[in-house]
Amino acid sequence: EVQLEESGGGLVQPGRSLRLSCEVSGFTFEDYGIHWVRQVPGKGLEWVSGISWKSGNTAYADFVKGRFTISRDQAKNSLYLQMNSLKTEDTALYYCAKGSIVAITVAIRGDLFDFWGQGTMVTVSA
Amino acid sequence: DIEMTQSPSTLSASVGDRVTITCRASQTITDWLAWYQQKPGKAPKLLIYRASGLETGVPSRFSGSGSGTEFTLTISSLQPDDFATYYCQQYYTYSNTFGQGTKLEIK
């Protein structure tokens, strides 16, 4: 059974940092991309970042480039999102999602998301 | 970035109705389009891939069509479990943009 479980969310002041984690299991994740997608409560979905699990190739949405860094630890089956210089507009529920396209290079082409975690809430406020 | 625009934003319908949601892309995305269903407090669920492919386990009353810049999601006979918010998403480019969502409400 495919499982993704996020953690690390919380309340943080503007300009500070936070690191999200996502533990993944239940599939041969070396073949896929894993992504972060966020959602402001009551609003729509926004793709944030993705990583090709095997190659480590990464991609970012323009609104987080230079501030967020995605990474993975293959030995721990874990995905991370290091979020620096946080802004109030980064407040959202952050989902970890498995990509569906095999052998994807996330910086070159798009992906769709077939399994999702339950999300971890990040609140950026003074 | 490619912009995705859904219409309508809200749709009121009754059980048994046939409903259609439209998604338009700001430029061609060929058929690299997915549809998701999201219920309150839950993660999105993939329904349709490649514009018209039905994800495993999704009821056959859901169907997708379109190519280029215009796409539709149709539910042939609404069931009580279908009242939710629906999102389209392009995966033609790595920006993976979503539509703003269509909330399907009970009339």
Side-chain angles (χ1 to χ4, degrees):
Chain A
E1 181 189 4
V2 176
Q3 289 189 323
L4 304 101
E5 185 170 354
E6 306 92 340
S7 61
L11 174 63
V12 61
Q13 293 178 328
R16 303 298 291 267
S17 299
L18 201 61
R19 188 197 199 204
L20 305 183
S21 301
C22 174
E23 189 170 337
V24 303
S25 63
F27 60 97
T28 309
F29 32 84
E30 285 197 353
D31 293 340
Y32 297 96
I34 311 291
H35 302 262
W36 291 99
V37 178
R38 72 185 187 183
Q39 185 172 36
V40 174
K43 301 296 184 183
L45 299 162
E46 279 188 311
W47 174 81
V48 174
S49 181
I51 187 166
S52 303
W53 193 267
K54 189 171 184 178
S55 69
N57 175 262
T58 59
Y60 299 92
D62 287 346
F63 54 81
V64 302
K65 271 180 189 173
R67 299 190 299 125
F68 290 11
T69 302
I70 191 171
S71 62
R72 89 280 193 233
D73 184 327
Q74 294 172 302
K76 294 183 178 180
N77 296 346
S78 291
L79 174 76
Y80 305 102
L81 186 67
Q82 177 66 41
M83 304 187 294
N84 298 333
S85 303
L86 280 161
K87 304 176 181 181
T88 54
E89 52 264 42
D90 294 319
T91 294
L93 183 65
Y94 284 73
Y95 291 105
C96 173
K98 172 189 166 292
S100 182
I101 296 177
V102 176
I104 190 172
T105 299
V106 296
I108 294 177
R109 64 149 307 151
D111 205 353
L112 68 165
F113 315 112
D114 55 2
F115 291 93
W116 300 63
Q118 286 307 300
T120 186
M121 186 67 200
V122 173
T123 303
V124 185
S125 175
Chain B
D1 278 0
I2 298 175
E3 287 188 18
M4 307 299 293
T5 304
Q6 289 180 232
S7 60
S9 295
T10 306
L11 179 56
S12 297
S14 301
V15 172
D17 285 354
R18 178 184 179 89
V19 298
T20 297
I21 299 168
T22 298
C23 177
R24 289 186 173 87
S26 60
Q27 64 186 75
T28 184
I29 57 170
T30 62
D31 61 354
W32 298 109
L33 185 97
W35 288 97
Y36 301 84
Q37 176 194 66
Q38 187 179 32
K39 296 181 179 179
K42 300 293 187 182
K45 173 187 175 183
L46 178 64
L47 300 176
I48 301 286
Y49 60 91
R50 206 76 188 265
S52 59
L54 194 66
E55 180 71 353
T56 302
V58 174
S60 59
R61 61 181 180 274
F62 290 91
S63 64
S65 66
S67 66
T69 62
E70 187 152 336
F71 303 85
T72 58
L73 173 70
T74 298
I75 309 173
S76 60
S77 178
L78 273 174
Q79 299 301 301
D81 192 49
D82 301 337
F83 291 95
T85 300
Y86 293 84
Y87 295 94
C88 62
Q89 179 232 333
Q90 67 82 14
Y91 54 108
Y92 182 74
T93 70
Y94 78 87
S95 61
N96 298 312
T97 41
F98 291 85
Q100 80 279 17
T102 295
K103 185 175 183 180
L104 181 51
E105 297 180 329
I106 300 174
K107 185 184 284 185

